[in-house]
Amino acid sequence: MPAEARITPVWYKQKLFVALFLIAIGAWFYWDGFIGYPRSNERYLIHQQLVKENREPEWPAVAGKRGWTTEVPHKLYGKGDIRMQWICGSLGAVLGLVSLAYWFTQKGRILRTDDEAVYSPAGTRIPFHAITGLGKKNWEAKGLATVLYKIDGRKGRFIIDDYKFDYDATHQILEEIEEKLTTQHLD
């Protein structure tokens, strides 16, 4: 009986959130590296100059005139500190963009069957007679099964994931594959 399993809203939103979160973290590190740390260094150096000239009581007025907080800066950030912000920002941005690209490639995927074949999430049509194996080692614990197949001498595999795809339809598809494999072995 034909079935169709689409990406679940939970998976869809979760992966999008992760990608956007990583991009936001990258932006935060970039902001610190390009704006936050240099501004803090400027505050620190002016405060240290006032201390050196024995004018520290003027700090609140100087800070207020420039729109700064009157809190005394705690540290001078070195080039290594700033460089580390750029590195972390780049790492976050790259991971976020890779995650977002992955999300875009996965969001419209469908796992489905018809009377003669199963269609992998990538859209490959795999006739039931081309299925060579079914790995269910992680099915009970994690809802993951591996379908092995061979078409025109080329081996392939795809994953059935009942978290990523609609739970009921995914289970129905797996049962249909098992039924077709059992029938093939009896013939």
Side-chain angles (χ1 to χ4, degrees), residues 10-53:
V10 168
W11 187 94
Y12 181 85
K13 291 173 187 173
Q14 181 186 56
K15 299 308 180 227
L16 178 60
F17 173 78
V18 168
L20 296 177
F21 178 76
L22 288 168
I23 291 168
I25 289 293
W28 181 29
F29 277 106
Y30 277 142
W31 187 91
D32 268 350
F34 286 106
I35 297 168
Y37 281 16
R39 282 184 184 171
S40 180
N41 283 349
E42 182 183 1
R43 287 180 55 238
Y44 182 86
L45 293 172
I46 289 175
H47 180 263
Q48 289 304 308
Q49 185 65 33
L50 290 174
V51 169
K52 187 176 176 181
E53 295 172 0

Side-chain angles (χ1 to χ4, degrees), residues 19-179:
L20 296 177
F21 178 76
L22 288 168
I23 291 168
I25 289 293
W28 181 29
F29 277 106
Y30 277 142
W31 187 91
D32 268 350
F34 286 106
I35 297 168
Y37 281 16
R39 282 184 184 171
S40 180
N41 283 349
E42 182 183 1
R43 287 180 55 238
Y44 182 86
L45 293 172
I46 289 175
H47 180 263
Q48 289 304 308
Q49 185 65 33
L50 290 174
V51 169
K52 187 176 176 181
E53 295 172 0
N54 289 324
R55 297 175 37 215
E56 188 173 5
E58 296 176 29
W59 171 247
V62 170
K65 189 166 66 173
R66 293 179 181 241
W68 296 339
T69 177
T70 58
E71 181 183 335
V72 176
H74 64 282
K75 161 180 184 176
L76 181 66
Y77 293 102
K79 288 182 181 182
D81 295 322
I82 293 171
R83 189 174 307 117
M84 183 55 73
Q85 295 301 305
W86 296 341
I87 291 169
C88 291
S90 297
L91 184 62
V94 166
L95 290 175
L97 291 173
V98 167
S99 296
L100 191 61
Y102 174 73
W103 177 81
F104 271 113
T105 65
Q106 299 297 306
K107 70 180 187 141
R109 300 237 169 161
I110 299 171
L111 176 63
R112 65 186 180 95
T113 61
D114 61 24
D115 292 332
E116 300 172 359
V118 62
Y119 294 80
S120 75
T124 305
R125 183 179 185 278
I126 303 153
F128 287 117
H129 66 81
I131 296 174
T132 59
L134 181 62
K136 290 180 51 177
K137 177 180 167 185
N138 293 317
W139 184 250
E140 292 301 320
K142 297 181 181 178
L144 298 171
T146 304
V147 177
L148 305 172
Y149 62 91
K150 188 174 184 178
I151 299 175
D152 298 328
R154 193 188 91 226
K155 293 181 180 181
R157 69 175 54 213
F158 69 90
I159 304 292
I160 296 176
D161 182 346
D162 74 355
Y163 175 73
K164 182 176 181 178
F165 294 98
D166 296 324
Y167 183 89
D168 292 335
T170 302
H171 283 253
Q172 183 180 343
I173 290 168
L174 181 66
E175 288 172 12
E176 189 171 352
I177 292 170
E178 286 179 311
E179 180 184 310

